[in-house]
Amino acid sequence: MKIAANTRMEEVVDACVMVPITPLSIVLTGVSVVLRFLSIIINWSLAYDYWLGGSYSYTAWTIGSILVPMVITSIIYTNVLAASNSGQRGMLSTVVLSYLFRDVYALYYALECSKAKTQGHKELEIKYYQQLLREECDVGFIRLFDSFLESSPQKILQLVILMRSSTKLTYYRLFAFVIYFGSIAWCIQAYNRSNRLAQLDKYDIAAKGRFVQFLFLLCLTVSRTLCIAYMASLFPLETLCFCILHVCFCGTVVFVFDSPTIAQSSVLNYIYCLTFGVVYIFIFTPVKDAPTKYKYTSYLTFCLLQNIIVCMLYIPLYLSTAIVALYICGIMLTIYYYLFCHPSILCL
């Protein structure tokens, strides 16, 4: 998978296959750094707000949904760094810094690569480009895991609290939801792009494609989250049990059939697969490079039918209409993306 791709990048990348680093891509990387830091501040401030209000159970749930994903992603990231020989810059400081500012190293390498190109230092440009690709590969894992181990439980938890209590939807909470939903779609889009950058026979995703991809990811994840959150507000234990079963089933399928490897330990590899099981509650994303047309079709059809059935049985008309409409809109944007925006294979 990506660890093998790191070695391949160092062997193959040169000036003729380097994807240009545009000012827009540097700005977008900077936005990723800011979004990550904002989401951390929001999570902890909400926990503090519940504690001040005497809602200690909500405080505990919020802190738990921060700490558990932090530990899991740190373990995975440590193994990814060790496997890709990136530990020389200081493992502990790298993990801590990447937790707070997820894309800071990628931003640094992008700026240095662009600077070297401007000054005509070809060797330095290739060196920093290789480091940028390696960093994008390493952090791509963590972007995906953070999205669905941290942000997704947080936004579902906050929606459930809003639906089940007298908590008001303040401007701050509305801003928090915007950051939650936006960061998830943003992280998946960045993960997909880093996947393509690691495969040197493929073109980068153009700005238009990244925008359309962000939109359909946003529609699909918002639809699924609203549906799950409303069900959790009615049947919290049953919804939790269903989600755990879904995670275990999908994680086991990924472990058996795709067999991804990020560590020598089978336990850590299975935990990694379980994180993909969490991802598949909301959205499908391929574990390895292979044809995905039928996988996408099956997954999106199943989830749409699931949303429709749940909406018909339990959810009020105004909300169910929004949930189904968002999912259908996401499917249409997905089709548009793969027909008109998806980059083709680069012929070397």
Side-chain angles (χ1 to χ4, degrees):
M1 286 188 60
K2 287 193 174 183
I3 295 170
N6 283 337
T7 304
R8 179 167 172 266
M9 284 187 295
E10 294 179 5
E11 295 173 349
V12 180
V13 69
D14 56 32
C16 67
V17 297
M18 287 194 297
V19 176
I21 300 175
T22 63
L24 176 61
S25 66
I26 294 176
V27 170
L28 292 178
T29 303
V31 171
S32 298
V33 176
V34 175
L35 279 177
R36 173 62 187 166
F37 191 62
L38 278 177
S39 66
I40 292 174
I41 293 176
I42 289 171
N43 289 341
W44 286 104
S45 64
L46 285 174
Y48 182 67
D49 185 52
Y50 291 136
W51 182 76
L52 288 179
S55 301
Y56 301 118
S57 60
Y58 292 159
T59 303
W61 277 104
T62 302
I63 292 177
S65 63
I66 296 172
L67 295 180
V68 173
M70 181 180 68
V71 171
I72 294 175
T73 53
S74 295
I75 292 172
I76 293 175
Y77 190 45
T78 301
N79 279 272
V80 168
L81 289 178
S84 62
N85 299 317
S86 299
Q88 65 271 16
R89 36 180 212 216
M91 189 72 72
L92 180 60
S93 62
T94 299
V95 170
V96 172
L97 185 60
S98 293
Y99 172 73
L100 295 174
F101 302 99
R102 181 69 71 216
D103 297 88
V104 68
Y105 281 111
L107 179 61
Y108 170 75
Y109 294 140
L111 289 171
E112 290 298 314
C113 182
S114 181
K115 178 181 176 182
K117 182 178 180 180
T118 302
Q119 296 176 348
H121 299 311
K122 186 60 65 177
E123 291 185 3
L124 275 179
E125 181 187 357
I126 295 174
K127 173 188 173 182
Y128 283 119
Y129 188 78
Q130 290 173 342
Q131 291 176 320
L132 173 63
L133 291 187
R134 186 191 301 116
E135 186 65 24
E136 286 283 352
C137 286
D138 290 345
V139 177
F141 284 119
I142 312 305
R143 287 193 191 108
L144 190 69
F145 298 156
D146 274 340
S147 297
F148 294 98
L149 291 181
E150 182 178 315
S151 296
S152 291
Q154 275 292 338
K155 67 184 182 182
I156 290 175
L157 175 63
Q158 302 308 323
L159 281 170
V160 170
I161 291 173
L162 194 64
M163 293 174 181
R164 295 190 56 155
S165 68
S166 58
T167 303
K168 295 181 180 180
L169 181 61
T170 61
Y171 286 114
Y172 181 73
R173 293 184 190 281
L174 182 60
F175 176 72
F177 285 127
V178 171
I179 293 296
Y180 284 147
F181 287 118
S183 63
I184 286 177
W186 189 280
C187 286
I188 306 172
Q189 181 269 138
Y191 168 79
N192 290 334
R193 180 172 181 266
S194 66
N195 249 341
R196 295 193 67 84
L197 288 176
Q199 302 170 58
L200 299 177
D201 61 337
K202 293 186 177 181
Y203 285 115
D204 189 16
I205 303 174
K208 177 185 175 182
R210 295 177 70 178
F211 178 69
V212 175
Q213 192 177 66
F214 174 81
L215 288 180
F216 80 68
L217 289 169
L218 185 65
C219 290
L220 295 175
T221 53
V222 169
S223 174
R224 292 290 287 176
T225 303
L226 289 175
C227 188
I228 294 171
Y230 192 87
M231 291 302 297
S233 69
L234 297 177
F235 312 106
L237 184 60
E238 293 83 351
T239 304
L240 178 61
C241 290
F242 175 82
C243 289
I244 291 174
L245 288 174
H246 179 97
V247 169
C248 292
F249 173 75
C250 292
T252 303
V253 170
V254 171
F255 183 75
V256 172
F257 291 100
D258 289 328
S259 303
T261 302
I262 66 163
Q264 295 181 347
S265 169
S266 297
V267 175
L268 287 176
N269 288 329
Y270 185 66
I271 292 174
Y272 167 65
C273 292
L274 288 178
T275 60
F276 268 94
V278 178
V279 172
Y280 290 162
I281 294 176
F282 302 91
I283 191 71
F284 174 80
T285 189
V287 178
K288 61 182 181 180
D289 185 40
T292 56
K293 179 172 67 174
Y294 295 110
K295 292 180 180 179
Y296 266 110
T297 302
S298 301
Y299 175 85
L300 293 175
T301 301
F302 173 74
C303 288
L304 177 61
L305 291 175
Q306 190 179 66
N307 281 2
I308 291 174
I309 292 172
V310 170
C311 286
M312 290 176 60
L313 294 177
Y314 301 106
I315 302 179
L317 181 61
Y318 72 93
L319 185 57
S320 61
T321 302
I323 290 172
V324 175
L326 273 174
Y327 209 82
I328 293 175
C329 182
I331 291 175
M332 299 304 294
L333 286 170
T334 304
I335 295 172
Y336 177 83
Y337 168 80
Y338 280 99
L339 287 178
F340 301 107
C341 303
H342 190 62
S344 57
I345 296 177
L346 175 65
C347 297
L348 298 177

